[in-house]
Amino acid sequence: TGSSQPQRMLKAVQKNATKGDPQSVISAIDHYCRNKEWAMNVGDDKGLILDSVLTEVNPSAALELGTYCGYSTVRIARLLSPGSKLITVEFNPAFAAVARQIIAYAGLQDKVTLVEGPSGDLIPKLRERFGVKSFDFVFLDHWKDRYLLDTKLLEDCGLLQKGTVLLADNVICPGTPEYLKYVRSSPRYESRYYKSNLEYTKLEDGLEKSVFLG
Ligand SMILES: Oc1cc(-c2ccc(F)cc2)cc2nccnc12
Ligand SMILES: [Mg+2]
């Protein structure tokens, strides 16, 4: 029973990053995953696109589906304005346990609520549990066969408002064809593709930004 990859990533953060410095946490993870062990963080290339979309939206209520080790959680939370909040949903308890520690190491725990469980069960409970009226920004980065189901669930729960931005990772690799078809053909979304590459590789991947039109 050795350590897990997420635990090794946490060790790398504790060794190479400065407590309370989100950028150093991001750099430590990117360096580890590029040079030691590949991991499914959104990464530094797609991360720059995430940063720019986030800065443009400047959300007061953000949702992330798929925390993993908290890399994109830290990327998002570090750019939130004072008083804004990020709710992040993770199904895997081992991932969630590491993510909590990485988010805390970055000093961002007051801006982030990490909720453990299946997104399909948790989305309908977000309003009653956390007093969320609706989200301005949603980052989809969990299991690809949940993107469309959870988008429709967010619509049906009234958690999207006119102008809400959905940003989806991995629309090329591993790929989310049904989701892409939906957001690109629905009159309720204005969608565009940001070409990039799969984290820490030269393979193509990209982010799809879809604005909910109400
Ligand atoms: O960014 C990602 C990349 C991959 C992934 C795995 C294996 C490959 F070969 C290529 C890509 C899986 C992911 N699952 C959930 C959320 N994000 C993911
Ligand atoms: Mg991803």
Side-chain angles (χ1 to χ4, degrees), residues 140 142-152 155 166 168-186 189 191 208 210:
L140 297 95
H142 55 334
W143 297 134
K144 313 310 152 198
D145 56 10
R146 291 289 326 174
Y147 280 31
L148 182 51
L149 289 164
D150 287 345
T151 296
K152 289 181 170 175
E155 289 173 13
L166 305 187
D169 190 26
N170 310 116
V171 296
I172 302 300
C173 178
T176 61
E178 300 78 21
Y179 174 79
L180 278 188
K181 197 163 65 191
Y182 178 75
V183 290
R184 290 176 175 175
S185 62
S186 165
Y189 291 92
S191 203
E208 187 83 359
S210 308

Side-chain angles (χ1 to χ4, degrees), residues 6-177:
Q7 285 168 329
R8 291 193 292 274
M9 204 185 300
L10 172 59
K11 287 270 170 300
V13 165
Q14 292 165 335
K15 180 166 176 282
N16 304 311
T18 305
K19 216 167 172 22
D21 175 356
Q23 191 54 56
S24 73
V25 169
I26 292 163
S27 302
I29 292 173
D30 283 331
H31 187 269
Y32 183 78
C33 296
R34 198 174 277 282
N35 299 291
K36 298 283 186 316
E37 289 184 88
W38 186 91
M40 59 179 172
N41 315 118
V42 73
D44 42 355
D45 298 330
K46 290 183 288 179
L48 288 174
I49 301 166
L50 170 60
D51 289 358
S52 67
V53 172
L54 202 89
T55 305
E56 173 197 328
V57 177
N58 188 28
S60 47
L63 173 66
E64 175 179 60
L65 301 176
T67 315
Y68 184 41
C69 294
Y71 174 90
S72 48
T73 320
V74 168
R75 283 203 86 110
I76 293 166
R78 87 192 200 286
L79 296 176
L80 292 178
S81 300
S84 297
K85 297 284 181 191
L86 168 64
I87 294 175
T88 184
V89 176
E90 178 53 55
F91 170 72
N92 181 312
F95 293 170
V98 165
R100 288 186 198 286
Q101 295 174 79
I102 288 180
I103 293 158
Y105 197 88
L108 296 167
Q109 65 285 349
D110 295 346
K111 292 173 175 286
V112 177
T113 303
L114 197 162
V115 197
E116 280 183 51
S119 54
D121 299 354
L122 290 170
I123 286 168
K125 297 175 180 151
L126 295 178
R127 182 174 287 111
E128 80 202 49
R129 282 198 191 175
F130 305 104
V132 173
K133 203 177 52 54
S134 64
F135 292 106
D136 315 295
F137 178 83
V138 182
F139 184 51
L140 297 95
D141 192 23
H142 55 334
W143 297 134
K144 313 310 152 198
D145 56 10
R146 291 289 326 174
Y147 280 31
L148 182 51
L149 289 164
D150 287 345
T151 296
K152 289 181 170 175
L153 193 52
L154 286 164
E155 289 173 13
D156 298 345
C157 296
L159 287 167
L160 304 183
Q161 63 189 18
K162 191 172 164 32
T164 297
V165 170
L166 305 187
L167 190 65
D169 190 26
N170 310 116
V171 296
I172 302 300
C173 178
T176 61

